[in-house]
Amino acid sequence: MEDGGWEAEGVGSKEAGLVHITVMRRKMVLGNWKMNLTSSESKAVIQEFLSRWEFNENVRVGFAPSYLSVETVKTALGENSIWTGGQDCLWAEKGAFTGCVSVPMLADAGAEFCLVGHSERRGRFGKLETPESTIAYFAESDETANLKIKALTCHGISAILCVGETLAEREDGHTDSTIAAQIQGALATIDQESAALVTIAYEPVWAIGTGKVCDAKEANRVCGVIRKVVESLLGEESADAMRILYGGSVKASNAQELFSQDSIDGGLVGGASLDPIEFADIVATAGAL
Ligand code: PGA
């Protein structure tokens, strides 16, 4: 994969015979375009973004357009070191799965990452405009997220695992246990090598597309809980190296406060990533930290 080893670096120091490794996690800002932008619109957004973007090695940038626009976006990005990704995939290599897209198809289109377990794929919407009777259509579970992570990492593609609580779960005091269960299910039997290709995005369902951003201190606390859960599954080294993003109504106006929290390594940005000027601003904010 392009610039492998770029994402996290160990900085060693020796004290009283003990070697301490401090992992430097670079920031990451990914745009999730969801079901927006045709291929020609996607190209125009990328061109406008590039006219405002300057490479900064402190931040990894990526776009997840619709499947139909992955190749267009990849071409429009050219040689710039910016990732293109899928919003979902199926774990099977190929076969009778009408309507699905496989990991080899994403890899062939040049994707470097793919979202997994987004709340909208789990049928958990912050702002429900979808009839309850159709929710089964969006049937992602922790088990399917796990299968997708295994398929993606096996092909060297980064998996961005999305986790988050609904408003009801938060109000019932179940935020931490909901997130822990989602991570335990999705990362079950994942080894450390595969985990090096996993990023977790904390996306409180009630903050997605609603304009209600999670308080930065609380988002930071939950991202800290996530790292502890990862540590209990994979050990301290993997947990230290894993990037944990925040997503849910990230905008240029709140990016600085969110991304400067200790446990937040960047953002997964929905609505604001459709505006190339605002998204370039969010990316620049992350790069300046
Ligand atoms: P939002 O979406 O920024 O529009 O709230 C974030 C996401 O769903 O990834």
Side-chain angles (χ1 to χ4, degrees):
M1 196 175 28
E2 177 211 324
D3 47 29
W6 183 89
E7 304 306 333
E9 280 178 355
V11 178
S13 67
K14 264 192 175 173
E15 237 173 61
L18 293 172
V19 179
H20 298 280
I21 304 287
T22 313
V23 173
M24 308 279 290
R25 292 184 304 271
R26 316 238 182 188
K27 296 280 187 216
M28 175 181 263
V29 178
L30 302 176
N32 172 13
W33 285 355
K34 309 192 179 186
M35 199 176 73
N36 295 292
L37 306 180
T38 61
S39 285
S40 49
E41 289 165 346
S42 300
K43 188 174 171 191
V45 168
I46 294 296
Q47 284 168 342
E48 178 73 36
F49 174 80
L50 288 177
S51 72
R52 293 163 188 273
W53 172 79
E54 261 178 47
F55 176 76
N56 180 333
E57 62 172 9
N58 295 329
V59 56
R60 157 63 66 206
V61 185
F63 291 93
S66 96
Y67 292 135
L68 290 175
S69 303
V70 168
E71 295 206 51
T72 303
V73 166
K74 186 90 201 153
T75 306
L77 287 169
E79 295 300 305
N80 292 296
S81 177
I82 296 180
W83 280 1
T84 311
Q87 297 176 12
D88 193 17
C89 61
L90 195 77
W91 54 89
E93 293 269 314
K94 62 176 175 178
F97 299 101
T98 303
C100 295
V101 166
S102 70
V103 174
M105 288 171 185
L106 281 176
D108 184 57
E112 288 98 351
F113 76 98
C114 183
L115 307 183
V116 174
H118 191 281
S119 55
E120 288 154 12
R121 299 295 325 149
R122 297 177 191 254
R124 289 153 64 89
F125 294 90
K127 192 172 66 170
L128 189 68
E129 283 164 2
T130 309
E132 274 299 330
S133 55
T134 65
I135 290 298
Y137 179 80
F138 307 93
E140 183 85 280
S141 66
D142 297 330
E143 187 184 357
T144 59
N146 178 257
L147 290 166
K148 290 174 186 185
I149 292 173
K150 286 178 179 158
L152 286 161
T153 54
C154 165
H155 282 269
I157 295 186
S158 290
I160 316 298
L161 169 66
C162 305
V163 298
E165 80 289 359
T166 60
L167 188 57
E169 286 161 347
R170 171 162 284 271
E171 286 174 349
D172 289 346
H174 295 152
T175 298
D176 297 5
S177 58
T178 299
I179 284 156
Q182 288 172 342
I183 296 169
Q184 283 153 0
L187 295 187
T189 72
I190 301 273
D191 59 21
Q192 290 179 330
E193 203 185 323
S194 304
L197 286 173
V198 176
T199 290
I200 297 183
Y202 168 51
E203 298 212 308
V205 177
W206 49 270
I208 296 179
T210 57
K212 285 186 214 145
V213 65
C214 183
D215 172 74
K217 295 269 172 299
E218 173 59 8
N220 190 47
R221 186 195 70 78
V222 179
C223 289
V225 169
I226 290 174
R227 199 172 303 285
K228 284 277 165 224
V229 176
V230 174
E231 188 180 326
S232 71
L233 293 170
L234 289 156
E236 198 179 341
E237 209 179 308
S238 294
D240 274 354
M242 191 173 287
R243 263 188 300 219
I244 302 176
L245 314 180
Y246 168 79
S249 298
V250 174
K251 302 184 207 54
S253 58
N254 57 29
Q256 166 91 26
E257 197 190 357
L258 286 162
F259 299 169
S260 53
Q261 305 295 319
D262 292 354
S263 299
I264 300 181
D265 301 316
L268 179 55
V269 186
S273 70
L274 297 168
D275 175 344
I277 301 173
E278 175 151 24
F279 191 60
D281 212 348
I282 295 171
V283 168
T285 299
L289 288 169

